Amino acid sequence: QNMVPTAVSQIIVALAKLGGGIAVAKYILSLGLPEKELLPMLAAGAISGVTMGTVLGSLYLVVRRRMAAPTVPDGILVSEELESRKHILRKLVAITVPIAIGSSVMSVTNLVDTSVVLDRLLAAGFSQADAETMFGAYSGMARTLFNLPTALIIPIGISVIPAIAQRFTVGDKSASSGILGSALRLAILMALPAGLGLSFMAKPILDLLYPARPEDAVMVAPLLSMLGIAVMFVCLVSITNAILQAIGCEQVPVFTILVGGIVKVITNFTLVGRPDINIYGAPVGTNLCYFIIMALKLLYIRKALGHLANILG
């Protein structure tokens, strides 16, 4: 339950992403390459910061682990049984693969948008240029701001996993339910104002952040307003995902993502393909997708714990 190394590694990753990417891009810019080669090389240089950040963050954790081995907190039972490496590897794969899939919910929904929305805009009768402009504004402006509140909620989920897992493992469902309720309440307290802010102040926020794109801001404001509603759903999806992992139900998010993804594909295909709705059907699909995922996870948690904590009291 020591969150400090994780926090430090994430800071290192963020700084290296930004600083390393800019440094490499500036170096490439100074080489005087012809314009045809310059833009792809600049993009590659900027994105190389992601690799640098990941490597440095991982290296820090390895060094930290070797220099200060973690100690087991008092009160936690440690098994003296030794398991074979093959058995441990099998268990790790069985656990980590569903967790990885469950944690990629936002990437999956973004992929659905990317693969469906543009094609359906073309099918609705828009030109290639108009379709790309609308989708670019939606993904680059509205969806970027929509993803921001979730970044504040994910750490809450990470921090409650060991606390809930410890109590659930020893059969203390009442304490597990209490921690679950606290986590959900905290997520709601953070997600509700963020979602309402994006919904009711979409245009001023876009004008502030994108002053050079006033026409795009006018088009994107209704999209961001609709996505603001989904902020509550996606934040609860993030928390419930961590809770399910903590109680050993890491396979459940895989099923819920599949169901939500199918709903999103059907909604996008139906609504975005209509000329009178077009791009404005995409956030409707996002809302339905995350609401269904959230509802399914809450139902399963209630079944696993016997009851669902009173998240409002």
Side-chain angles (χ1 to χ4, degrees):
Q1 300 185 30
N2 180 9
M3 303 301 294
V4 175
T6 303
V8 173
S9 69
Q10 292 299 312
I11 293 172
I12 292 173
V13 169
L15 292 176
K17 271 185 186 179
L18 179 63
I22 290 177
V24 175
K26 282 189 173 181
Y27 172 73
I28 294 173
L29 197 60
S30 69
L31 296 178
L33 298 173
E35 186 174 347
K36 187 176 180 180
E37 298 179 16
L38 180 61
L39 292 179
M41 290 296 291
L42 279 176
I47 203 67
S48 68
V50 176
T51 302
M52 281 187 270
T54 306
V55 171
L56 292 175
S58 301
L59 184 61
Y60 164 78
L61 289 174
V62 171
V63 173
R64 174 67 184 255
R65 170 68 177 80
R66 291 186 177 277
M67 292 179 61
T71 57
V72 180
D74 295 334
I76 295 182
L77 300 176
V78 180
S79 174
E80 297 296 333
E81 271 185 55
L82 295 179
E83 299 179 1
S84 68
R85 293 192 177 191
K86 185 177 179 180
H87 180 65
I88 292 173
L89 178 61
R90 204 161 43 233
K91 287 173 65 176
L92 278 173
V93 171
I95 293 172
T96 55
V97 170
I99 287 178
I101 296 173
S103 300
S104 65
V105 58
M106 297 198 74
S107 299
V108 170
T109 55
N110 289 342
L111 181 61
V112 171
D113 277 341
T114 303
S115 59
V116 176
V117 171
L118 190 58
D119 287 342
R120 295 307 294 161
L121 287 172
L122 294 173
F126 293 94
S127 67
Q128 182 76 30
D130 288 342
E132 289 178 354
T133 299
M134 286 191 290
F135 181 70
Y138 167 68
S139 59
M141 297 170 68
R143 212 164 60 186
T144 298
L145 291 173
F146 164 69
N147 292 339
L148 187 59
T150 313
L152 303 175
I153 301 296
I154 289 175
I156 300 175
I158 294 174
S159 64
V160 301
I161 288 178
I164 294 177
Q166 177 184 347
R167 287 158 179 80
F168 189 80
T169 302
V170 297
D172 191 352
K173 291 188 177 182
S174 177
S176 300
S177 184
I179 298 172
L180 180 156
S182 298
L184 290 176
R185 285 194 294 273
L186 184 56
I188 290 173
L189 286 173
M190 297 178 69
L192 186 59
L196 292 177
L198 290 178
S199 290
F200 290 104
M201 300 184 65
K203 183 63 165 56
I205 291 172
L206 291 167
D207 288 338
L208 176 65
L209 297 178
Y210 303 98
R213 302 172 65 180
E215 294 181 0
D216 287 342
V218 171
M219 183 194 75
V220 172
L223 298 171
L224 184 57
S225 294
M226 286 187 280
L227 287 176
I229 301 171
V231 166
M232 173 70 74
F233 304 147
V234 73
C235 288
L236 289 178
V237 164
S238 176
I239 289 293
T240 52
N241 191 47
I243 292 168
L244 286 166
Q245 293 172 13
I247 63 177
C249 301
E250 61 278 351
Q251 299 89 354
V252 175
V254 179
F255 164 73
T256 60
I257 288 176
L258 179 62
V259 175
I262 291 173
V263 170
K264 186 170 176 62
V265 169
I266 294 173
T267 305
N268 283 358
F269 190 88
T270 304
L271 297 183
V272 178
R274 291 182 53 174
D276 56 331
I277 299 178
N278 57 77
I279 190 68
Y280 297 100
V284 175
T286 298
N287 274 278
L288 289 175
C289 170
Y290 285 119
F291 175 78
I292 289 172
I293 293 175
M294 176 198 70
L296 290 173
K297 288 183 177 181
L298 287 174
L299 287 173
Y300 200 91
I301 290 171
R302 181 180 180 181
K303 179 182 178 182
L305 295 179
H307 68 286
L308 197 58
N310 180 7
I311 62 176
L312 299 177

